[in-house]
């Protein structure tokens, strides 16, 4: 028998008297009829009881058979806001929140039948907020008849709140308030179980904000956080059930939904997700446009939540590799592709040692004179079994694994060595351009490396140009410092694939850039697409205003040449002039240039 049931017996007796007396409350009953006596005996026990009743740290109330509030051992106003007077005679249930009514009614009923019950309920504070109580009930019996209920009350609001806080921290993302990976995986597991039961499928999406790192790097983390918050808000609105969206980490979100009809359902939902993010975001009054990449996996019979998430992630990587801003469904063999990538990464290491990489060079022409004014070094992998592999098939894997760094070093070395060799052989001196990858550009010792290579090869720095992309300039501080160091060596810098990344006039104006290379996607359609024609014309005009040279990439037709000339573009590179050539091919061309300086087709 525990303590309170023992007391309950005594109280039952005393309260019984109170209830029979009608209006007299239990507390007052004790104090009026019994004063403290010195010796043990029934009156001593009542005094003890009286003291216990008034001073107990535990609150207990007496309820009559009709569920009305009769008495409580302390001032209830600091717990529920009502005074004892306000509560007396009121049905206990009227103070509870709706859901607790029925539970408490049944509990009282059972208690009057002799049972002791415990239950968590919610009571509504006089000010309107609800509070969590843990109540234990015990029958008040007099002469073997239940005459009321004794309710022991524990305020567990604080405990509940801290439990909820712990739960929140474990299952929710603090910044966006969205469920986190743990919550999402559990929920997905539940959904998968339910779907198995009713034959439905679940689509799992893994979403990543394109170029988010650059947003953070260039505008600051607070800006990035604001953007993520707004993205979270828009995505939650586009998904019907609140638990279906989670922030996995950083700029990665995951979503899941039931699919009734397979293909149609997925595409419509994904189109919607992408379109809610298309509208510009307003951050500190600045409109910001973003794109996202989404990988999707659809449940089959045996895939668990982790497997589906992995598949969606694999699909997401494919989207990223294919140029971002899109979504893609995981196909069964994508795991093999990931495996293939690992094989490539492994093979590349030995390929570098075994000298399987070679450089081709694509000539660049002055548009006015038709003279060769430069050439771009383009890497190829001369694979013993697969033949010549273009860079698009291995550069992303090299970048991901970090092999790009030694590989990129080799490209600069080889391009400088070869250019110097041509010059030493008496060929016309023309600069060579080398593409830099993001990882190479991020190396702290890049300038030292370039300087060493120039020294070892003996090539004058003015014959080396490095091509970077717009995205590399987003970390303005780093880019400014690095480019200044490089140009101090005498190397020139150009911006490759111009127009496809985050363009900012700020960097164009402030960084030591010599020329822009208009991306071939704009050049391709200048004849057919007035927008592309306008973009190309605008890039040329803007570059000239900033005293930058402009070269058009991917020029294939004479009409493109005419267009570019009429807009005073300085140079061009593309199949129209020449495809990329082997080093032997370049030597022939240079020898030809010695004899016949200009490309005849230009005139
Ligand atoms: P990129 O720097 O924009 O190089 C130009 C690409 O356009 C080359 O493809 C070239 O063959 C192709 N191209 C040239 N003229 C035409 C044309 O008239 N029409 C069309 N449709 N395409 C033309 P390639 O050699 O496959 O290189 C692709 C990309 O790989 C390069 O784009 C560059 O981003 C990267 N890359 C190449 N070599 C290296 C390297 O050594 N290091 C790094 N990091 N990246 C490299
Ligand atoms: Mg390039
Ligand atoms: Mg390019």
């Amino acid at each position: 028998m525990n303590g309170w049931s023992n007391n309950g017996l005594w109280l039952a007796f005393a309260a019984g008297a109170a209830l029979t007396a009608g209006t007299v409350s239990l507390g007052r009953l004790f104090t009026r009829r019994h004063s403290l006596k010195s010796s043990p005996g029934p009156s001593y026990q009542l005094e003890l009881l009286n003291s216990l009743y008034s001073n107990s740290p535990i609150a207990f109330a007496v309820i009559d058979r009709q569920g009305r509030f009769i008495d409580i051992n302390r001032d209830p106003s600091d717990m529920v806001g009502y005074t004892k007077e306000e509560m007396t005679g009121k049905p206990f249930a009227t103070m509870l929140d709706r859901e607790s009514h029925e539970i408490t009614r049944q509990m009282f009923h059972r208690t009057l039948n002799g049972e002791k019950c415990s239950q968590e309920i919610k009571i509504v504070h006089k000010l309107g907020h609800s509070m969590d109580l843990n109540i234990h009930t015990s029958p008040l019996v007099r002469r073997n008849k239940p005459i009321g209920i004794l309710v022991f009350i524990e305020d567990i609001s604080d405990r509940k709140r801290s439990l909820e806080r712990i739960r929140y921290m474990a299952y929710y993302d603090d910044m966006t308030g969205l469920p986190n990976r743990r919550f999402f995986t559990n929920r997905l597991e539940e959904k998968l179980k339910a779907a198995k039961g009713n034959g439905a499928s679940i689509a799992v999406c893994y979403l990543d904000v394109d170029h988010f790192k650059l947003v953070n790097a260039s505008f600051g983390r607070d800006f990035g956080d604001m953007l993520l918050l707004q993205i979270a808000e828009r995505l939650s609105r586009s998904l019907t059930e609140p638990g279906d969206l989670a922030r996995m980490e950083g700029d990665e979100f995951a979503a899941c939904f039931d699919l009734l009809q397979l293909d149609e359902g997925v595409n419509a939902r994904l189109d919607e997700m992408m379109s809610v993010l298309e509208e510009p975001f307003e951050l500190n009054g600045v409109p910001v446009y973003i794109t996202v990449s989404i990988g999707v996996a659809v449940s089959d019979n045996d895939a668990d939540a982790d497997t589906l998430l992995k598949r969606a992630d694999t699909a997401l990587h494919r989207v990223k590799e294919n140029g971002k801003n899109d979504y893609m469904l995981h196909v069964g063999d994508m795991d093999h592709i990931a495996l293939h990538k690992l094989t490539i990464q492994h093979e590349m290491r030995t390929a570098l040692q075994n000298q399987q990489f070679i450089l081709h060079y694509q000539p660049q022409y002055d548009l006015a004179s038709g003279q060769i004014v430069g050439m771009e070094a383009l890497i190829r992998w001369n694979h013993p079994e697969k033949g010549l592999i273009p860079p698009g098939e291995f550069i992303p894997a090299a970048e991901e694994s970090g092999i790009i760094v030694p590989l990129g070093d080799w490209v600069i070395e080889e391009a400088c060595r070869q250019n110097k060799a041509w010059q030493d052989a008496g060929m016309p001196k023309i600069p060579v351009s080398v593409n830099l990858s993001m990882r190479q550009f991020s190396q702290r010792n890049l300038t030292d490396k370039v300087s060493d290579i120039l020294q070892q090869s003996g090539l004058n720095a003015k014959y080396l140009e490095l091509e970077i992309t717009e995205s590399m300039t987003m970390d303005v501080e780093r880019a400014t410092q690095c480019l200044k160091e490089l140009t101090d060596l005498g190397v020139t810098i150009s911006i490759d694939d111009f127009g496809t990344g985050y363009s900012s006039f700020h960097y164009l104006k402030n960084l030591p850039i010599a020329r822009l290379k208009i991306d071939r996607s704009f050049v391709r359609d200048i004849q057919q697409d007035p927008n592309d024609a306008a973009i190309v014309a605008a890039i040329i005009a803007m570059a000239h205003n900033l005293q930058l040279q402009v070269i058009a990439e991917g020029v294939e037709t004479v009409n493109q040449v005419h267009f570019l000339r009429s807009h005073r573009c300085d140079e061009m590179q593309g199949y129209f002039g020449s495809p990329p050539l082997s080093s032997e091919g370049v030597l022939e061309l240079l020898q030809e240039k010695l004899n016949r300086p200009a490309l005849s087709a230009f005139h």
Side-chain angles (χ1 to χ4, degrees), residues 3 22 46 76 136 239 280 377 413 422 455 484 486 566 577:
L46 271 178
H136 310 274
L239 291 157
E413 275 164 27
W422 283 324
Q455 213 159 28
K484 182 170 181 318
L486 287 170
S566 68

Side-chain angles (χ1 to χ4, degrees), residues 100-327:
S100 301
H101 275 200
E102 182 55 21
I103 298 171
T104 314
R105 200 190 61 76
Q106 285 179 14
M107 198 180 170
F108 284 180
H109 181 73
R110 294 207 321 264
T111 311
L112 288 170
N113 283 327
E115 238 182 276
K116 280 180 227 148
C117 310
S118 297
Q119 183 70 47
E120 269 184 31
I121 57 163
K122 280 185 192 298
I123 195 160
V124 183
H125 191 278
K126 193 176 178 182
L127 296 176
H129 56 275
S130 83
M131 301 176 57
D132 294 288
L133 300 182
N134 204 2
I135 59 170
H136 310 274
T137 58
S138 180
L140 277 174
V141 181
R142 191 173 184 223
R143 292 196 191 114
N144 288 332
K145 275 202 181 138
I147 54 162
I149 298 159
L150 192 62
V151 185
F152 292 77
I153 303 163
E154 220 183 325
D155 180 359
I156 53 167
S157 304
D158 285 348
R159 201 193 315 158
K160 276 273 232 211
R161 260 197 298 275
S162 46
L163 274 177
E164 253 156 42
R165 178 82 204 131
I166 292 168
R167 203 186 105 80
Y168 183 86
M169 287 192 308
Y171 288 102
Y172 288 84
D173 167 50
D174 224 19
M175 196 200 32
T176 57
L178 289 178
N180 64 13
R181 179 186 291 273
R182 189 180 289 126
F183 183 107
F184 186 79
T185 314
N186 290 350
R187 179 169 171 92
L188 184 57
E189 214 58 88
E190 275 168 25
K191 282 196 139 202
L192 288 171
K193 238 185 251 159
K196 246 187 204 170
N198 60 22
S201 298
I202 307 287
V204 181
C205 312
Y206 216 113
L207 180 150
D208 184 284
V209 183
D210 298 333
H211 305 292
F212 182 74
K213 278 199 192 94
L214 304 174
V215 174
N216 253 351
S218 40
F219 302 110
R221 282 196 170 273
D222 287 350
F223 201 87
D225 285 356
M226 269 198 285
L227 180 59
L228 288 178
L229 259 174
Q230 292 194 26
I231 292 173
E233 204 180 303
R234 286 197 197 175
L235 286 175
S236 334
R237 271 191 271 132
S238 91
L239 291 157
T240 41
E241 285 184 59
D244 287 355
L245 176 71
R247 180 176 177 220
M248 303 301 261
E249 60 193 69
D251 62 331
E252 289 171 13
F253 295 86
C256 61
F257 41 83
D258 297 297
L259 282 180
L260 300 173
Q261 319 115 308
L262 262 181
D263 283 354
E264 226 181 307
V266 185
N267 290 342
R269 298 297 290 266
L270 291 167
D271 284 338
E272 193 191 328
M273 275 168 82
M274 294 199 67
S275 76
V276 295
L277 301 175
E278 254 169 28
E279 290 288 305
F281 291 84
E282 176 120 349
L283 301 176
N284 287 344
V286 181
V288 174
Y289 291 84
I290 61 153
T291 59
V292 294
S293 301
I294 308 177
V296 189
V298 175
S299 63
D300 53 29
N301 280 334
D302 43 31
D304 61 9
D306 281 333
T307 312
L308 280 178
L309 274 167
K310 258 186 218 133
R311 287 182 188 165
D313 192 31
T314 313
L316 169 67
H317 276 92
R318 288 275 293 165
V319 181
K320 293 267 175 195
E321 280 169 14
N322 286 0
K324 309 188 170 85
N325 189 17
D326 200 358
Y327 57 79

Side-chain angles (χ1 to χ4, degrees), residues 362 376 378-380 391 395 404 411 435-437 467 496-497 520 553-556 574-575 580:
Q362 187 171 34
E376 177 175 7
L378 295 160
I379 195 170
R380 274 97 185 86
I395 292 282
I404 193 73
V411 176
N435 293 283
L436 279 191
S437 76
E467 293 188 7
D496 200 3
D497 306 337
R520 60 179 180 277
E553 290 188 274
V555 178
E556 294 182 356
Y575 298 159

